[in-house]
């Protein structure tokens, strides 16, 4: 996997204003040397209109710039909700999300989408769309209403497809792919969006081992070779520990622990947050978790 | 890397395993238009339009041979005389203003006059109505993410129907403005549907439900109004309007619909990328920076404009807007750029062909000169086609 295109080109650096004159390629080398983007959620109260109680009730999270942060927790712990809040998909009832100091809710939607990409858990695609077409949709925020695709778009798409390792799928219809291949195609789409911040909602769930590793490797490459700030919701705590620079553990909408994996992923935390007795052994690939039994006491 | 530039022209249909390679992302400005399937669809639709159109201009109270009709359509006395052309297309007043011509227009043959004055405009109105309805339906199917959506799903038909009845039965003096009132009624009903569906934003399901609610109420009112019609002529006129008819359409209708059709079609082709993105689902579209409510409303507005333009000249023609996008989707795929262009050909083909049945069918079957509303024919064709689809396709509904 070549990585030449990665460097700073991953960040397009400009915002709102480039809409009108962005014809000549916003993603073209625009190596503004601003550091990786900061994403901060402050006092977030997040819920759904149908439910009375908020799922996340007043939590703050400062995502480390340029690093990989994993959100872990049991089902219903609010990790996906928190991610949706960070992505401005859910409007917080209280609190705010700041991207490089700007409130995401007040940002122009396209400007935000040029800085922050989100891969949702459930993605539907129409029949008959080719992978390459899907990936080109990732360029949407970089294009004006009547604008045609540019060289820069083509480059970003090629790069994203290459990075996601789905070059061989390029002309296949998304509907005909396996679950794992589909996920790679969708990841290529968010990569083509060319954002500073990438939020991924359970990108490895339901994938076979091979594709889980593929996805993890993509995220690692992003971290190692670019300044992208990644927040990823993971079901598998061992995977989280291995992949992430920071782990944030949630339970019942509360953040119970945060920090480097070695500090967060402990037997106590697994008992407290995941309600399992487990053995945690430190290895050179990070903590190894062996679940032993579910805890039934409360 | 295999991304060397873009394969120009959709002719690049090399077969890759089981999946036909179909790349709608040919990035050259018109490459996507050259898609083999789209070209076939366009050409065969054109053939249908020409054939049906020739039948329409040949037969009638004054019958002529196809050769005569053909010569009349291509009569150089009209085609090569901008005064006559303008006289037909934009009207005599405007023609005189544009050309400054004050004298008497040169004589035309009897055949040419009949074809150009009476029969050809009806075909042209059919073309416009078919294109508008097809495009409108295609847009609504993306907006509601439902294959079973039609131009009339968001209350447009019931709003138009109610105002048609109101005008004919209660405000008879306004019937000169019936086309505009009908279009306006449809648009107002659409706004009411939107207002009902709105609750911190809309969703496809809520829009469709609100459409059903408004449709039910308005249809009841419309039916109630029939009781107050004391004249059989009024009732027949109302039925013609609410089932859709091209009887008696003229150059005036062409002039009425043409500008709006042009605007609606241009906007819908420009909006094709937005429509494609809507198909990826609300979450994804939003994450990619689409202001989804604004786009959805704007696109619905374009679709209502197209539907209103066709209502104004032909009344409420059913089924065309429902089945044409379907047929085209089966033929050229889900990409909206191609879908819309395909609709621009298949819609007119269906409409013009159906109008042959509406205008001449009764004389073939019953030997009378009576014409039936074209909406009846489209319903008779559309129903079985839908049945066929239902049996053939496992999944119908969500796109």
């Amino acid at each position: 996997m070549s990585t030449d295109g990665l460097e700073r080109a991953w960040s397009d650096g400009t915002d709102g204003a480039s809409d009108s004159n962005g014809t000549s390629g916003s993603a073209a080398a625009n190596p503004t040397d601003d550091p990786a983007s900061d994403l901060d959620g402050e006092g977030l109260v997040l819920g759904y209109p149908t439910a009375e109680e908020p799922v996340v009730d007043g939590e703050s999270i400062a995502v480390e710039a340029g690093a990989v942060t994993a959100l872990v927790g049991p089902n219903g712990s609010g990790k996906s909700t928190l991610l949706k809040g960070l992505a401005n998909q859910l409007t917080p009832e209280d609190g705010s999300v700041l991207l490089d100091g700007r409130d995401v809710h007040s940002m122009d939607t396209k400007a935000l989408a040029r800085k922050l990409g989100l891969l949702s858990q459930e993605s539907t695609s129409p029949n008959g769309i080719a992978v390459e077409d899907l990936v080109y949709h990732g360029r949407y925020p970089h294009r004006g209403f009547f604008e045609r695709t540019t060289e820069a778009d083509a480059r970003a798409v090629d790069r994203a497809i290459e990075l996601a390792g789905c070059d061989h799928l390029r002309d296949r219809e998304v509907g005909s792919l396996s679950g794992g291949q589909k996920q790679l195609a969708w990841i290529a789409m968010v990569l083509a969006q060319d954002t500073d911040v990438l939020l991924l909602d359970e990108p490895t769930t339901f994938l076979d081992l091979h594709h889980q590793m593929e996805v993890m490797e993509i995220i690692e490459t992003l971290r190692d070779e670019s300044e992208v700030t990644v927040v990823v919701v993971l079901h598998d705590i061992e995977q989280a520990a291995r992949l992430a620079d920071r782990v944030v553990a949630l339970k019942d909408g509360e953040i119970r622990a945060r920090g480097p994996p070695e500090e967060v992923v402990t037997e106590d935390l697994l008992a407290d947050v995941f309600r399992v007795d487990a053995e945690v052994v430190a290895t050179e690939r990070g903590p190894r978790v062996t679940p032993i039994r579910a805890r039934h006491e409360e | 890397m295999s991304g060397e530039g873009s394969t120009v022209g959709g002719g690049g249909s090399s077969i890759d395993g089981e999946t036909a390679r179909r790349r709608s992302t040919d990035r050259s400005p018109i490459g996507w238009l050259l898609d083999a399937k789209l070209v076939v669809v366009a050409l065969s639709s054109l053939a249908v339009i020409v054939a049906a159109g020739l039948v329409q201009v040949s037969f009638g109270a004054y019958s002529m041979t196809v050769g005569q009709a053909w010569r009349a359509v291509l009569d150089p006395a009209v085609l090569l005389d901008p005064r006559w052309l303008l006289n037909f297309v934009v009207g005599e007043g405007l023609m005189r203003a544009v050309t400054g011509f004050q004298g008497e227009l040169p004589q035309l043959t009897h055949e040419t006059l009949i074809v150009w004055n009476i029969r050809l405009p009806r075909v042209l109105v059919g073309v416009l109505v078919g294109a508008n309805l097809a495009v409108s339906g295609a847009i609504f199917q993306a907006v509601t993410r439902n294959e079973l959506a039609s131009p009339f799903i968001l209350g447009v038909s019931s709003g138009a129907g109610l105002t048609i009845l109101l005008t004919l039965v209660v405000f008879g003096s306004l019937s000169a403005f019936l086309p505009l009132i009908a279009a306006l009624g449809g648009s107002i009903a659409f706004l009411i549907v939107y207002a009902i569906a709105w609750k911190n934003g809309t969703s496809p399901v809520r829009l469709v439900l609100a459409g059903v609610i408004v449709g039910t109420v308005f249809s009841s009112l419309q039916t109630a109004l029939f009781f107050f019609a004391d004249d059989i002529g009024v009732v027949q006129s109302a039925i013609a309007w609410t089932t859709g008819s091209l009887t008696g359409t003229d150059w005036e209708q062409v002039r009425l619909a043409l500008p709006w059709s042009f605007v609606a079609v241009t906007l819908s082709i420009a909006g094709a990328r937005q429509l494609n993105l809507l198909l990826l689902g609300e979450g994804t579209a939003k994450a990619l920076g689409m202001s989804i409510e604004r786009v959805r409303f704007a696109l619905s507005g374009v679709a209502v404009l197209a539907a209103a333009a066709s209502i104004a000249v032909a009344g409420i023609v059913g089924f065309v807007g429902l089945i044409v996008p379907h047929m085209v989707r089966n033929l050229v795929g889900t990409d909206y750029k191609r879908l819309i262009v395909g609709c621009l050909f298949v819609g007119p083909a269906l409409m013009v062909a159906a109008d042959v049945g509406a205008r001449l069918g009764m004389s073939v079957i019953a030997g009378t000169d009576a014409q039936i509303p074209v909406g009846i024919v489209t319903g008779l064709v559309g129903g079985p086609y839908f049945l066929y689809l239902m049996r053939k396709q496992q999944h119908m509904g969500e796109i």
Side-chain angles (χ1 to χ4, degrees), chain A residues 88-89 109-110 113 116 118 124-130 132-134 136-138 140-141 143-149 158 162 167 170-173 176 186 189 193, chain B residues 1-4 16 18-29 32 145 270-271 273-274 276-277 279-281 283-284 286-291 295 334 398-399:
Chain A
N88 197 31
Q89 292 270 316
T109 50
K110 271 193 175 179
L116 183 148
L118 168 71
T124 51
S125 66
N127 294 325
I129 183 177
E132 196 191 62
D133 292 340
L134 180 70
Y136 261 96
H137 280 311
Y140 180 85
R143 295 165 66 183
F145 190 84
F146 292 107
E147 224 171 86
R148 301 200 44 76
T149 50
D158 286 345
E162 193 184 341
D167 206 16
R170 221 177 160 108
D171 297 315
R172 293 273 302 273
E173 285 184 8
S176 71
W186 281 98
M189 190 201 77
Q193 211 176 323
Chain B
M1 314 223 314
S2 73
E4 265 88 35
D16 154 36
E18 71 275 54
T19 329
R21 164 184 174 133
R22 188 123 43 88
R23 198 187 275 186
S24 66
T25 38
D26 284 329
R27 312 294 159 195
S28 67
W32 57 274
R145 295 204 61 205
R273 191 154 47 91
Q274 322 284 330
N276 278 332
L277 203 56
L279 295 186
L280 297 185
T284 307
K286 227 175 134 188
L288 286 172
M290 176 189 272
S291 12
V295 169
T334 42
E398 211 165 79
I399 296 179

Side-chain angles (χ1 to χ4, degrees), chain B residues 170-319:
Chain B
V170 184
F171 306 105
S173 54
L174 292 176
S175 40
F177 305 105
L178 195 57
L180 297 180
I181 292 174
L184 195 68
S187 313
I188 289 172
F190 160 73
L191 291 178
I192 294 176
V193 165
Y194 230 92
I196 291 177
W198 189 273
K199 189 177 158 195
N200 296 321
T202 60
S203 74
V205 175
R206 267 218 306 278
L207 280 172
V208 172
L209 287 177
V212 171
I213 294 165
V214 170
T216 310
V217 173
F218 277 23
S219 308
S220 292
L221 292 174
Q222 183 186 321
T223 313
L225 277 172
F226 268 110
F227 280 97
F228 295 97
D230 35 19
D231 183 352
I232 185 73
V234 167
V235 172
Q236 276 183 344
S237 168
I239 287 177
W241 271 93
T242 50
T243 46
S245 166
L246 293 175
T247 308
T249 48
D250 196 354
W251 283 105
E252 199 186 319
Q253 276 73 33
V254 177
R255 282 167 224 150
L256 184 61
L258 192 61
W260 302 114
S261 311
F262 184 74
V263 171
V265 166
T266 310
L267 288 176
S268 52
I269 290 178
R273 191 154 47 91
Q274 322 284 330
L275 291 162
N276 278 332
L277 203 56
L278 277 179
L279 295 186
L280 297 185
E282 225 162 299
T284 307
K286 227 175 134 188
L288 286 172
M290 176 189 272
S291 12
I292 195 146
E293 293 300 344
R294 221 184 302 165
V295 169
R296 188 148 57 197
F297 185 76
L299 289 170
S300 303
V302 172
V304 169
L305 177 69
S310 84
I311 287 178
V313 295
I316 304 160
V317 182
F319 271 104

